[in-house]
Amino acid sequence: MKHFIVVLFLMLFITVNGSLHAGDSGSAGDCAKGDTAYKKLDNKTALEFYQKALETDPKNYEAAWKLARAYVDVGEQLPDKKERRLHYEKAYEYAGKAVEINPGGSKGHLFLSIAIGRVALDAGAKEKVRLSKEVKVEVDKALAIDSQDDSAWHVLGRWHRTLSSLSWIEKKFANIFLGGVPKEATMENAVESFKKAIQLNQTSINHHLELAKTYDKMGEKTLAVQEYHEVLELPIKDADDEDHKKEAEERLKKSE
């Protein structure tokens, strides 16, 4: 009888322990499948796998920030403004969860800044300026943790360009929410931030496109044209690169 109880206990332990490891493996496995879909530029499938991974293991930091990224990526392709915003708000939710799971991880803060920034793009002047403060707080945290993240430098570049080229009504809201337009927000700092992003990831089409658009705003047409040509020559790596190339081509026609 004693021998039977020992055997039963061991079988129960193996079953429970195996189930726990299977759960971990399931979450990691779904995350890996999401990565595979992401590399194939299939963001919707990637989103589904990251969602499953996080449901299996709610403390999976990697699944949380990658799910936030997926919601941004899918949202960017949606033509309907309300649908886009819903996706960006989901991205905000899961990026916030990633920060909650691991406050010391850079990616949670990065995608929190990106999600807020995407909401701001479709927002009115008042909300756009108010949200810019949150974008800066989160991207600064991301860079403080990992200064070699090219995407974070890209976000910072867009922040500088946006804040340094506000309309008169947006400047009024900046006085209310920011105490005026931040002195550090300049086109020159935008250029330096995009250049840093390119230094860290030279084949990113989006980095080159945003640098070109910044040069355009500064009246540096020759430099802008060089970057637009670079965009057209680089290979497609991300799901929205095709759109970036089309935008560069259209802007190039107007510049030349």
Side-chain angles (χ1 to χ4, degrees):
M1 182 67 178
K2 186 176 180 181
H3 176 72
F4 173 77
I5 292 173
V6 171
V7 171
L8 186 63
F9 175 78
L10 287 172
M11 289 178 65
L12 181 62
F13 175 80
I14 291 170
T15 301
V16 172
N17 194 47
S19 297
L20 289 173
H21 283 292
D24 291 342
S25 176
S27 181
D30 283 330
C31 213
K33 290 175 183 176
D35 291 344
T36 299
Y38 179 75
K39 289 175 183 176
K40 292 180 179 178
L41 311 184
D42 186 356
N43 291 320
K44 288 184 179 180
T45 300
L47 188 153
E48 291 171 4
F49 279 118
Y50 294 140
Q51 186 84 62
K52 285 178 65 178
L54 194 60
E55 287 172 359
T56 302
D57 180 7
K59 295 297 183 182
N60 188 329
Y61 169 72
E62 186 179 355
W65 73 256
K66 286 182 176 179
L67 182 55
R69 180 185 65 186
Y71 267 109
V72 168
D73 290 339
V74 173
E76 287 175 338
Q77 300 299 315
L78 297 174
D80 184 75
K81 185 176 178 179
K82 289 183 179 179
E83 283 296 314
R84 279 201 307 273
R85 176 147 187 153
L86 286 174
H87 276 68
Y88 296 154
E89 287 174 350
K90 278 289 186 182
Y92 179 88
E93 175 187 342
Y94 288 113
K97 184 173 180 61
V99 170
E100 183 182 322
I101 295 168
N102 180 16
S106 65
K107 293 296 187 183
H109 294 290
L110 169 63
F111 284 99
L112 196 51
S113 73
I114 290 174
I116 297 167
R118 288 296 183 273
V119 170
L121 285 177
D122 285 333
K126 182 178 180 180
E127 188 179 15
K128 175 183 175 181
V129 173
R130 180 181 63 79
L131 291 174
S132 71
K133 185 175 183 178
E134 296 180 46
V135 171
K136 185 63 162 57
V137 168
E138 293 303 326
V139 76
D140 279 350
K141 288 179 180 178
L143 284 169
I145 297 167
D146 182 6
S147 63
Q148 301 303 299
D149 191 320
D150 62 290
S151 294
W153 284 104
H154 181 104
V155 172
L156 186 59
R158 293 186 71 147
W159 181 87
H160 280 298
R161 189 181 67 205
T162 300
L163 269 292
S164 63
S165 56
L166 295 176
S167 66
W168 69 270
I169 187 65
E170 289 170 340
K171 287 179 181 178
K172 286 186 177 295
F173 288 124
N175 289 333
I176 297 171
F177 296 114
L178 309 176
V181 178
K183 292 182 179 179
E184 65 180 300
T186 65
M187 286 294 187
E188 289 74 19
N189 282 340
V191 167
E192 290 307 310
S193 296
F194 288 127
K195 281 185 174 180
K196 180 66 175 179
I198 290 170
Q199 179 187 335
L200 294 168
N201 185 358
Q202 296 180 10
T203 60
S204 169
I205 285 176
N206 200 19
H207 293 344
H208 287 280
L209 176 62
E210 294 302 329
L211 177 57
K213 289 161 70 173
T214 306
Y215 280 139
D216 247 345
K217 277 185 171 289
M218 296 172 72
E220 298 284 357
K221 298 300 181 183
T222 301
L223 293 173
V225 167
Q226 289 176 2
E227 290 300 324
Y228 287 136
H229 279 297
E230 189 71 24
V231 169
L232 297 179
E233 292 170 8
L234 286 169
I236 289 175
K237 290 171 54 181
D238 295 319
D240 48 5
D241 278 349
E242 194 69 53
D243 291 335
H244 291 151
K245 281 179 175 285
K246 288 178 182 177
E247 182 179 355
E249 194 169 12
E250 290 170 2
R251 287 176 173 271
L252 196 54
K253 288 177 182 177
K254 295 177 182 178
S255 298
E256 293 182 326

